[in-house]
Amino acid sequence: NTYGETTAPAAAQSGVVAIAAGGTNSLALKADGSVVAWGADWSGQSDVPTTAQSGVIAIAGGGNHSLALKSNGTVVAWGRDDTNEIDVPADLSGVIGISGGGTHSLALKSDGTVVGWGDDTDGQATPPAGLSNVVAISAAGQHSLALKSDGSVVAWGGNANGESSVPSGLSNVVAVSAGYDYSLALKSDGTVVAWGDKFPTGAPTGVAVVPAGLSGVKSIAAGYADSLVVKSDGSVVGWGADEEGEIDELPERQGEEE
């Protein structure tokens, strides 16, 4: 909570329908289509523009930038722009999903294609040629993931720690989440598959090492060096780094369905 990113303001204490976390800030989408942001703001990542104060249906946090998807299929971005991560392509439309990476951004279009912009040092902002039939996306530090309608996963960008090396034979995937140097996939049977950097600094239990026997998972989230999953009984399981209590200080109210 160095920058207040885990202290939600009063404006985010009611009427919230979705949340997102950036590198050093947090976002909340309210039922009225407005966005509330808090935490670090040195790059303007928590300074929500007027265009994101109405008609927003989805939000995403990047390293030091933020994204909002509007009901008309357009995207609003704000915050750091050192590598053009908030320079949304002028003709971008028909968007149904967004994801913020460390210094790049991704948009999923209604036709199943993906558009990327921002830092492309490792090719993370340039989807593979011919990529189609995509139903979900996730951007991380230097790599990106796409889930296809057939349950397969495509990864591109940085691969220094194997984060873009999708396990052979991976199938029946229903969700993906890209961490800083690793990746997670949720399968239709409620199990989780991980690949990439297993033991980054501060992660003694292995951020890309799924706990033995983990099952009944319904959603996943990969962070910088810690992983979280929500199980079908409403409980949360976390593993990886815990230098600042990101997994050992899970709220007491586990097991309560929303």
Side-chain angles (χ1 to χ4, degrees), residues 46-119:
S46 296
D47 186 12
V48 183
T50 302
T51 48
Q53 292 294 3
S54 63
V56 176
I57 58 174
I59 50 177
N64 286 298
H65 68 290
S66 304
L67 303 172
L69 171 61
K70 304 201 69 174
S71 57
N72 63 1
T74 62
V75 177
V76 178
W78 63 97
R80 187 172 181 173
D81 198 32
D82 291 357
T83 57
N84 302 315
E85 57 263 51
I86 67 169
D87 293 345
V88 181
D91 59 349
L92 184 63
S93 61
V95 176
I96 59 173
I98 51 176
S99 185
T103 51
H104 73 291
S105 303
L106 297 179
L108 171 62
K109 300 190 65 173
S110 58
D111 63 2
T113 61
V114 178
V115 177
W117 63 93
D119 183 15

Side-chain angles (χ1 to χ4, degrees), residues 132-218:
S132 60
N133 299 315
V134 175
V135 294
I137 53 175
S138 185
Q142 297 294 116
H143 76 292
S144 302
L145 301 175
L147 171 62
K148 301 192 67 173
S149 57
D150 63 0
S152 63
V153 177
V154 177
W156 65 95
N159 197 36
N161 295 286
E163 59 266 38
S164 292
S165 297
V166 180
S168 177
L170 181 63
S171 61
N172 299 315
V173 175
V174 295
V176 292
S177 185
Y180 185 74
D181 278 331
Y182 72 105
S183 303
L184 297 179
L186 172 61
K187 300 192 67 173
S188 57
D189 63 1
T191 61
V192 178
V193 177
W195 63 96
D197 192 1
K198 292 180 172 58
F199 295 98
T201 301
T205 61
V207 68
V209 180
V210 179
L214 182 65
S215 62
V217 175
K218 67 176 184 179

